[in-house]
Amino acid sequence: MNPTIYDIAREAGVSIATVSRVFNDSSCVTRKTREKVLAVANDLGYHPRALAQSLARKKTKIITVIVPVISNYFFMEVLAGMQGKIADYDYDLQIFNVKIADNLLSQADHIMKRGWGEGYIVISVHLEDSEWQLLHKYNVPVVLIDEYYSGYDTISVDSIEGAYTATSHLIEQGHRSLGMVCAKLDSKPIVDRVLGYRRALEDAGIMVDPAMIVTGDDMERDGFTESNGYEAMSKLLSLEKPPDACFCASDIQALGAIKAMRDHNHRIPIIGFDDLEFSEYVGLSTMRQPMYEMGALAIEKMVGRLEDKDSDITHTVFSPDLILRASSPGYAGFNKRNKRAVPAE
Amino acid sequence: MNPTIYDIAREAGVSIATVSRVFNDSSCVTRKTREKVLAVANDLGYHPRALAQSLARKKTKIITVIVPVISNYFFMEVLAGMQGKIADYDYDLQIFNVKIADNLLSQADHIMKRGWGEGYIVISVHLEDSEWQLLHKYNVPVVLIDEYYSGYDTISVDSIEGAYTATSHLIEQGHRSLGMVCAKLDSKPIVDRVLGYRRALEDAGIMVDPAMIVTGDDMERDGFTESNGYEAMSKLLSLEKPPDACFCASDIQALGAIKAMRDHNHRIPIIGFDDLEFSEYVGLSTMRQPMYEMGALAIEKMVGRLEDKDSDITHTVFSPDLILRASSPGYAGFNKRNKRAVPAE
DNA sequence: CTGAAAGCGCTTACAG
DNA sequence: CTGAAAGCGCTTACAG
């Protein structure tokens, strides 16, 4: 099998402590012995086993990311932000997928119990406070993205505000009858986005019509799918009095909604939520979440906490930006993707 | 800190060996002692450290996936396939991202050197044979997806055949002047797809016009981006004699190409390559890669090899399927996503 | 600068 | 069925 530190020590005629020092850049080794050790190690193809190092050091130098396994640009962008930031630190990023259809708590528990990571960044997993509470037993830092829980550092986007902004924009453009395409109605993002939608209508003195708030039948991925959006928009367009504009709870649903409008040969202005990569190319107006920044910030928070376990818990809420494109009124010219966002602590 | 096996042994009045046996479902423990141990463990919040177990057992029970960090549905689908399959086995799936812009070999080397996984599944990383060769020193099973190298098990799709099929279809529909939107010209997938495109033209007795084979200027992600596709299609449409149909090397570029056609107010039939999730919703004809199956198969191959290191190396090549939608001629009705594919060993 | 020794938290023959 | 002991492959005070 692969050689161990003992093999190198024997061959090089030194103790294992010295070999260890050579591989840990410890300065207290003669240049001569260092070179001897390195030569032997190279000959035998030796490299320290991270597993054994981690056990001895009681540090794995790994930050674990827990993310639902669904084809979702949101996660990819967030992960890219983490990847970009982790380079600044001496940690590796390890990702574990969880299945959104199964019990999320037990999956997260399983991963954390194994203890590979020194800290855990959890993306888009929504649990009850009492469930998050249970995870404290592992006594390890956790940062939550796209979720709020007072016991951990969190990073999220203000869904209420985003929905309010999108809806208000459509109202300002002169629309009075506004539909909303929802995903799973009791999911956290939807609850907030419906709230923002309602408030915008109320503030504009428009009556909220419950028939205008619809979701599709396909509840895979909590309804955040093209087909759900397709179904939902089809329902809206089949109403006796269809809306004359629509706010979609997610870009992925908006994509389905656009197809539905095409198939029904009935187009109305729509605004989505997310700003996925393809959104620009289908000309979809949307509320942009600063995904890349959220990922980068998560790493910073995690590393900070790893270095100082007792620092204050912080909650960062980003405001989504309205990005106007061809799918909605008020659009003027090509809109470059906006990579900035202001954290609103 | 968190309790160890010693704490439990002391409190329960047994040896650490017994505690270990209880947690390893070893049958040789009295029901009474088992319960005592479990009770104490529960009280103290004990759970075995995977790190220590792995070291002692010389097995981590982890399969590591190495995947480029780019927002790409292809990877997500492949990962989903792995996730679905891994449930059948007693392994955890751990993912490490690599940056496609940096040195891929050294990144893969870094990950494998650490030795967390018992085996490594590498997706869409293209190296020279001599580079793959270097990785054999880790003496650990490797399965390659979307790449071919004789020394490891591989799973890929026949790009030449796919390009040939797509191009031939356009020819059969009566088009004689065919453009091709490429990504990075010397990237492996592009080399093959251009080859298939050329062969189809040649077999149909059509002269290949080099001016018809174009790529955009944006070479991020090797050119597999919407903006590259946009630029490439713009070039084609700006030719003195634009093509009257086009094969796009990837769906993501096709999305950009569609926008370019809209902006130029000049639509021609196009066929993409991949069948990403959004493709159905933008009505894009494409060559479908059986991504989910590829992921599932990778797990099977890996587990098989883990159990029998000396089994023969296998190379599986899938044939992509032509999926016709509104973007190309020959389309008849709604096309359900085709989840099946025939492995062609 | 270098080595002997204890320790990281488990598993697993080997006895009994 | 249970325990004592060696071992997994390292790191790190502590001496010298």
Side-chain angles (χ1 to χ4, degrees), chain B residues 113-129:
Chain B
K113 180 183 312 197
R114 310 220 72 204
W116 295 116
E118 288 184 47
Y120 295 82
I121 298 176
V122 185
I123 310 178
S124 292
V125 170
H126 306 295
L127 298 177
E128 302 293 322
D129 281 11

Side-chain angles (χ1 to χ4, degrees), chain B residues 5 20-21 24 53 57:
Chain B
I5 203 172
S20 174
R21 288 194 188 98
N24 287 291
Q53 292 182 311
R57 290 180 184 147

Side-chain angles (χ1 to χ4, degrees), chain B residues 110-325:
Chain B
H110 171 75
I111 293 169
M112 291 177 64
K113 180 183 312 197
R114 310 220 72 204
W116 295 116
E118 288 184 47
Y120 295 82
I121 298 176
V122 185
I123 310 178
S124 292
V125 170
H126 306 295
L127 298 177
E128 302 293 322
D129 281 11
S130 58
E131 295 180 302
W132 286 122
Q133 190 90 43
L134 293 174
L135 264 18
H136 283 284
K137 69 177 175 219
Y138 293 120
N139 195 22
V140 76
V142 173
V143 172
L144 267 26
I145 294 184
D146 189 27
E147 167 71 330
Y148 180 88
Y149 162 64
S150 61
Y152 291 136
D153 292 313
T154 66
I155 299 169
S156 56
V157 155
D158 193 329
S159 272
I160 302 180
E161 186 194 328
Y164 186 94
T165 303
T167 309
S168 296
H169 174 79
L170 291 170
I171 294 171
E172 281 162 23
Q173 296 295 323
H175 302 291
R176 309 290 295 174
S177 169
L178 296 183
M180 175 165 177
V181 167
C182 298
K184 186 150 167 269
L185 289 171
D186 58 353
S187 68
K188 220 154 178 168
I190 293 302
V191 168
D192 284 354
R193 289 170 202 180
V194 168
L195 193 57
Y197 160 87
R198 298 184 89 109
R199 278 196 196 153
L201 290 178
E202 284 159 8
D203 285 0
I206 302 176
M207 268 261 280
V208 175
D209 177 358
M212 287 291 185
I213 304 175
V214 303
T215 180
D217 301 319
D218 177 6
M219 279 302 155
E220 205 187 339
R221 299 183 205 162
D222 278 4
F224 288 101
T225 60
E226 293 97 333
S227 63
N228 181 291
Y230 183 91
E231 295 160 355
M233 180 56 92
S234 296
K235 289 184 190 175
L236 284 176
L237 296 180
S238 304
L239 290 174
E240 200 163 328
K241 281 182 72 72
D244 46 52
C246 180
F247 166 52
C248 291
S250 66
D251 281 9
I252 200 87
Q253 291 174 278
L255 191 56
I258 289 173
K259 183 173 196 299
M261 294 193 291
R262 204 162 48 223
D263 289 356
H264 283 251
N265 203 17
H266 182 169
R267 288 196 88 103
I268 59 176
I270 66 172
I271 297 181
F273 201 113
D274 282 334
D275 198 22
L276 303 185
E277 189 174 321
F278 64 72
S279 302
E280 179 183 335
Y281 285 86
V282 299
L284 177 65
S285 293
T286 190
M287 299 307 304
R288 167 157 228 276
Q289 305 203 56
M291 301 169 273
Y292 191 94
E293 290 78 2
M294 292 169 81
L297 181 60
I299 293 295
E300 285 183 350
K301 286 200 182 195
M302 177 56 75
V303 174
R305 184 153 300 283
L306 249 15
E307 281 165 3
D308 175 12
K309 302 252 182 196
D310 301 319
S311 58
D312 286 341
I313 286 177
T314 63
H315 301 285
T316 306
V317 179
F318 285 90
S319 292
D321 293 323
L322 176 61
I323 308 289
L324 291 177
R325 300 203 180 95

Side-chain angles (χ1 to χ4, degrees), chain B residues 15-169:
Chain B
S15 73
I16 59 163
T18 299
V19 178
S20 174
R21 288 194 188 98
V22 168
F23 278 91
N24 287 291
D25 278 329
S26 170
S27 45
C28 313
V29 183
T30 333
R31 198 182 126 166
K32 202 174 153 193
T33 30
R34 172 191 305 282
E35 280 169 1
K36 175 67 180 163
V37 168
L38 251 20
V40 173
N42 195 44
D43 274 7
L44 274 59
Y46 170 79
H47 49 94
R49 243 76 100 209
L51 209 62
Q53 292 182 311
S54 296
L55 185 61
R57 290 180 184 147
K58 309 195 72 171
K59 290 194 174 181
T60 61
K61 282 297 165 188
I62 284 183
I63 292 174
T64 300
V65 180
I66 299 180
V67 55
V69 59
I70 67 181
S71 314
N72 189 323
Y73 273 138
F74 177 80
F75 302 138
M76 296 303 291
E77 284 270 352
V78 172
L79 284 173
M82 294 188 187
Q83 190 77 25
K85 200 70 191 179
I86 199 75
D88 298 347
Y89 305 101
D90 183 27
Y91 285 89
D92 278 328
L93 217 52
Q94 171 200 56
I95 303 163
F96 278 103
N97 277 325
V98 290
K99 281 177 262 180
I100 206 161
D102 299 355
N103 185 313
L104 286 169
L105 176 61
S106 68
Q107 291 179 87
D109 188 86
H110 171 75
I111 293 169
M112 291 177 64
K113 180 183 312 197
R114 310 220 72 204
W116 295 116
E118 288 184 47
Y120 295 82
I121 298 176
V122 185
I123 310 178
S124 292
V125 170
H126 306 295
L127 298 177
E128 302 293 322
D129 281 11
S130 58
E131 295 180 302
W132 286 122
Q133 190 90 43
L134 293 174
L135 264 18
H136 283 284
K137 69 177 175 219
Y138 293 120
N139 195 22
V140 76
V142 173
V143 172
L144 267 26
I145 294 184
D146 189 27
E147 167 71 330
Y148 180 88
Y149 162 64
S150 61
Y152 291 136
D153 292 313
T154 66
I155 299 169
S156 56
V157 155
D158 193 329
S159 272
I160 302 180
E161 186 194 328
Y164 186 94
T165 303
T167 309
S168 296
H169 174 79

